[in-house]
Amino acid sequence: MALQIFNTLSRSVEEFIPLDPNHKEVRMYCCGPTVYDFGHIGNFRTFVFTDLVRRYLQFRGYNVTHVMNVTDVEDKIIKRVHEAGTTLRQYVSKYEDAFLEDLQTLRCLRPHHLPRATEHIPEMIQIIDALMKRGIAYKAADGSVYFSIEKYQGCGCRYGQLVNLNFDEMRVGERVASDEYTKDSLADFALWKARVPEDGDVFWPSPWGEGRPGWHIECSAMSMKLLGPSFDLHLGGEDLAFPHHEDEIAQSEGAALQQPGQKFVKYWMHGAHLLVEGKKMSKSLGNFFTLRDLLGKGYGGREIRYLLSSSHYRATFNFTLEGLDGARIALARLDECLGKLQELAGTTSAPADQKFLDAFTAALDDDLNVAAAWGVVFEWVSEMNRLFAVNQLSPTQAAAALAAWQQIDSVFGLGRKGEVEAPPEILALLEQRQAARKAKDFKRSDAVRDELKAKGWLIEDTPKGPRLKRL
Ligand code: AMP
Ligand code: ZN
């Protein structure tokens, strides 16, 4: 079976076929964090989901380019910067750093590109300019530039590709300036917001006067710059489908940068929200958790990742602290089995158990059914335990099972208990050391080993290659 995914654009499950004529390259964009505060576990459910998608595409043999933007200028940020009386960069850098650290705690692979909105203002201006030239954007009396839904539809384009919209109530020319609005306030939306006193020194020059971009244009500009005007996959939480993603499509296809007949994005995937104890997470209900709150309660990134990735991405997920305790127990069961297999396998190596891999692949090919995939894994754990109990497992079988698990874990990304994922600078040093060894430059390889030691990391050479351990 081929990989099937639910495409929000067609509202149906479709076979995933990348745009690349060789069906090898996949270009994916995920809306990143708005860095005005620490990320909460709801946000991280979405980011773990996108990380799973990337990892599974890689497991399926695709060569993935993964872009995640950092929204470092929008309404909420400006408000906070104003209240804090600081500069934009100073304000956001703390949260941007924390976000990257949190991603690593959750063992998410670092996206290949992490563009910041503030570093792509010229690209945004270019798209707005193209929309102005096509008559789809207009400057209003308040000095801001808006996207005209009427003119866009008049060009033969459709507004309302991701969600069904009721245009009956919509009054032509009615505008919405705020970045976030609901379907009820369907109206022309802001592409460029004219400078107002509350913006402080957050503004840029533009052909339409000083101001700042609307949130939606940011993602159109960054995604198309790094992935081209048409790419394979765009992801985000379900709340982003409207208006954010709908507006992204309208701006990007309205600017007509795509080849004739090509869409801005072929597949859209949206992750359902996370609820806490059955309710919407909110500070006033006291059920609001950042990742850091959970770490403070003694849970680890590995447990949190497991829990966040254990249910289907399209199902609302109910987060509870008991759920995290359950995750701890489930992982302990898995770790115990892996430990016993490792002991039995010793240095034996064997080709991966294909039956196990096939069952896992069949589960995830079915619209990323992680619950079914975990079902496969825990059935396997039971079977291994049964064979252990009757002494019917050989070192070769244990090695085959472990080899399959290693591939499966390249998707789940849990690693082994106590194993800490090394930061990119440490991984880069390990690569340098391997290169030096390959070139038989042992002086250099020893020097890199010492440097790693000074940074608190030890290299263990195993039959399967080098492993990093925290000192
Ligand atoms: P933000 O930083 O607010 O722009 O959100 C970052 C990502 O988190 C977006 O993809 C949102 O859709 C997603 N998100 C926000 N709240 C939740 C939630 N409660 N559950 C799952 N995802 C969420
Ligand atoms: Zn976005």
Side-chain angles (χ1 to χ4, degrees):
M1 194 170 86
L3 169 60
Q4 314 275 320
I5 54 164
F6 183 88
N7 187 357
T8 316
L9 204 53
S10 63
R11 287 128 176 106
S12 62
V13 175
E14 289 179 33
E15 184 176 338
F16 181 78
I17 305 169
L19 293 166
D20 170 26
N22 298 320
H23 298 172
K24 198 79 195 129
E25 303 289 326
V26 173
R27 288 164 294 151
M28 67 181 256
Y29 182 91
C30 164
C31 288
T34 304
V35 282
Y36 69 104
D37 210 334
F38 293 111
H40 59 65
I41 47 158
N43 300 138
F44 286 112
R45 179 188 190 198
T46 296
F47 295 125
V48 167
F49 148 61
T50 58
D51 180 65
L52 273 178
V53 172
R54 166 180 166 182
R55 285 171 177 267
Y56 191 58
L57 289 168
Q58 292 181 170
F59 172 89
R60 282 307 245 126
Y62 294 112
N63 195 2
V64 182
T65 305
H66 177 196
V67 178
M68 182 196 282
N69 73 295
V70 175
T71 298
D72 59 351
V73 55
E74 60 77 79
D75 293 350
K76 291 192 290 281
I77 297 179
I78 303 251
K79 190 163 172 277
R80 296 274 182 107
V81 170
H82 188 61
E83 283 162 5
T86 172
T87 64
L88 182 82
R89 182 92 305 265
Q90 211 166 23
Y91 185 83
V92 297
S93 60
K94 169 176 164 192
Y95 297 113
E96 191 183 302
D97 292 349
F99 172 75
L100 295 177
E101 213 177 284
D102 289 354
L103 267 195
Q104 199 179 319
T105 304
L106 287 173
R107 298 159 181 261
C108 292
L109 298 175
R110 201 178 167 93
H112 301 103
H113 302 274
L114 282 157
R116 290 188 185 122
T118 51
E119 290 166 6
H120 293 81
I121 306 288
E123 286 85 351
M124 296 171 205
I125 290 176
Q126 259 176 33
I127 299 174
I128 302 172
D129 193 43
L131 290 167
M132 287 292 261
K133 289 199 172 110
R134 295 196 76 213
I136 293 174
Y138 62 94
K139 189 170 172 181
D142 64 357
S144 297
V145 178
Y146 288 88
F147 183 93
S148 163
I149 293 177
E150 192 206 12
K151 293 281 165 49
Y152 176 65
Q153 305 237 73
C155 290
C157 295
R158 186 156 77 92
Y159 190 77
Q161 296 190 33
L162 292 172
V163 284
N164 292 319
L165 294 169
N166 177 6
F167 289 92
D168 296 345
E169 308 270 293
M170 188 187 169
R171 280 193 301 219
V172 172
E174 204 161 295
R175 289 183 284 272
V176 54
S178 134
D179 282 332
E180 285 178 68
Y181 55 94
T182 61
K183 279 199 278 185
D184 304 338
S185 37
L186 174 61
D188 290 355
F189 57 90
L191 297 165
W192 186 259
K193 304 185 189 204
R195 182 182 173 193
V196 291
E198 299 81 68
D199 289 346
D201 58 6
V202 183
F203 66 88
W204 289 265
S206 87
W208 316 284
E210 288 171 342
R212 62 184 172 93
W215 170 37
H216 317 299
I217 195 74
E218 298 181 3
C219 283
S220 288
M222 290 182 275
S223 60
M224 290 199 288
K225 180 186 177 191
L226 290 159
L227 299 174
S230 292
F231 57 92
D232 302 290
L233 181 58
H234 196 313
L235 309 106
E238 60 183 354
D239 57 318
L240 298 192
F242 187 87
H244 186 55
H245 290 162
E246 194 63 50
D247 291 351
E248 270 190 54
I249 296 177
Q251 298 157 152
S252 310
E253 295 188 356
L257 303 168
Q258 292 74 25
Q259 295 290 326
Q262 289 276 16
K263 289 180 179 311
F264 164 49
V265 173
K266 188 171 181 190
Y267 302 97
W268 289 84
M269 287 176 92
H270 291 98
H273 265 192
L274 172 142
L275 300 178
V276 179
E277 316 276 355
K279 297 197 185 75
K280 194 173 159 115
M281 195 169 29
S282 90
K283 285 204 168 120
S284 58
L285 288 174
N287 65 359
F288 184 95
F289 295 110
T290 63
L291 176 68
R292 283 144 195 258
D293 293 334
L294 297 176
L295 298 177
K297 287 182 188 296
Y299 296 104
R302 191 168 175 256
E303 289 152 355
I304 301 167
R305 179 180 174 95
Y306 170 79
L307 185 63
L308 292 180
S309 55
S310 59
S311 68
H312 197 285
Y313 74 94
R314 283 199 288 130
T316 307
F317 176 67
N318 192 29
F319 176 87
T320 60
L321 291 177
E322 289 79 50
L324 267 183
D325 295 331
R328 183 169 288 176
I329 294 167
L331 285 175
R333 203 168 147 234
L334 178 65
D335 288 335
E336 193 201 342
C337 177
L338 292 171
K340 286 193 297 192
L341 286 171
Q342 190 66 68
E343 207 171 297
L344 178 59
T347 53
T348 312
S349 62
D353 173 350
Q354 198 56 42
K355 209 170 132 227
F356 183 22
L357 282 177
D358 287 346
F360 168 80
T361 309
L364 287 191
D365 271 355
D366 179 14
D367 192 23
L368 221 73
N369 191 340
V370 278
W374 274 115
V376 168
V377 170
F378 281 106
E379 247 174 56
W380 168 79
V381 169
S382 298
E383 178 60 8
M384 291 297 115
N385 285 341
R386 193 186 65 76
L387 292 175
F388 268 118
V390 291
N391 249 332
Q392 273 186 13
L393 211 56
S394 69
T396 307
Q397 282 170 305
L402 280 173
W405 169 254
Q406 226 168 39
Q407 289 186 42
I408 289 172
D409 194 45
S410 71
V411 180
F412 284 138
L414 293 168
R416 295 293 290 274
K417 191 181 172 203
E419 189 183 87
V420 191
E421 209 138 283
E425 58 152 338
I426 300 296
L427 292 175
L429 279 172
L430 179 65
E431 268 174 36
Q432 282 178 32
R433 187 238 181 196
Q434 291 311 98
R437 273 172 62 122
K438 215 168 149 194
K440 302 214 179 323
D441 182 353
F442 296 113
K443 210 167 145 203
R444 168 84 190 128
S445 117
D446 285 349
V448 180
R449 177 186 277 268
D450 290 345
E451 193 179 338
L452 278 167
K453 210 167 167 184
K455 289 182 189 290
W457 293 86
L458 195 72
I459 305 176
E460 253 184 16
D461 289 308
T462 76
K464 291 199 175 100
R467 263 219 315 254
L468 280 164
K469 255 178 85 175
R470 263 246 183 259
L471 273 174

